[in-house]
Amino acid sequence: MADETAAAEAQQVEVGQSPATSSAPAFQEGEKIVAHGLVGARQLNHLPGRILSFDESKERYGVFFFHDGSKKSLKGENLRKLQAPEEKELREIFSTEVASQKFKKLIEERDFGFVEFEDENLQRLVGKLLLAGYWAENVAVMQDVAEDLNLSFMPKFARAVELVRMLETSESMSDAIAQAGEEVSQDS
């Protein structure tokens, strides 16, 4: 009986299928995904990629990330299928998030960059939208938004925002850039 179970599991474990004992979702080779919940590689959270393979012995998927061409081995629980969201899902997200109006205004004004992520409500909203596949049809935009969001979780994010604000309000751009450059050099 144990041999039959092992044989059945071995048959199931092809790219796109998880072993029967695993709780990992099943993904197909070539399928687009978005990474989430990563701790050791936080910079990959919210980023789109593509399934390359499944390693049965490790129960991990080989994933190619579009933004930098890197390949990582990740657990299925840290992947979500990337597809355009249902209208109902978007309505639910936008109706429950306080930053929805701010987000819509930033998108309309095309004034959306990493500095806006000093707003934690906007961080949460955009994180949900990325995982829901809001930008699934435009992976390049999704990558940019995900990278900007991920910057907001970096230890020196607040200081980076201060430097950008200083540049935006400076009367002498060259003096502001020189000051920012000195500060960055001191961090090296």
Side-chain angles (χ1 to χ4, degrees), residues 112-137:
F112 193 59
F114 84 93
V115 173
E116 279 67 47
F117 288 118
E118 65 187 333
D119 179 338
E120 291 179 10
N121 293 319
L122 191 60
Q123 288 176 357
R124 187 179 55 251
L125 169 62
V126 171
K128 286 181 178 182
L129 291 172
L130 285 163
L131 291 178
Y134 186 77
W135 291 279
E137 301 299 320

Side-chain angles (χ1 to χ4, degrees), residues 67-118:
H67 81 289
D68 66 356
S70 66
K71 296 174 186 169
K72 302 292 181 195
S73 179
L74 301 174
K75 296 177 185 175
E77 66 196 40
N78 295 115
L79 305 174
R80 183 170 174 176
K81 184 176 180 175
L82 179 59
Q83 59 190 16
E86 300 278 331
E87 189 65 34
K88 179 181 175 185
E89 184 179 13
L90 287 178
R91 271 196 306 274
E92 184 177 319
I93 291 171
F94 284 119
S95 69
T96 59
E97 289 295 327
V98 297
S100 295
Q101 292 305 317
K102 181 177 184 177
F103 172 80
K104 289 175 184 177
K105 182 180 178 190
L106 289 168
I107 293 296
E108 286 171 13
E109 295 175 354
R110 299 178 185 260
D111 189 24
F112 193 59
F114 84 93
V115 173
E116 279 67 47
F117 288 118
E118 65 187 333

Side-chain angles (χ1 to χ4, degrees), residues 1-13 56:
M1 185 69 159
D3 287 352
E4 290 175 6
T5 303
E9 286 179 3
Q11 286 178 343
Q12 284 182 324
V13 181
E56 176 184 356

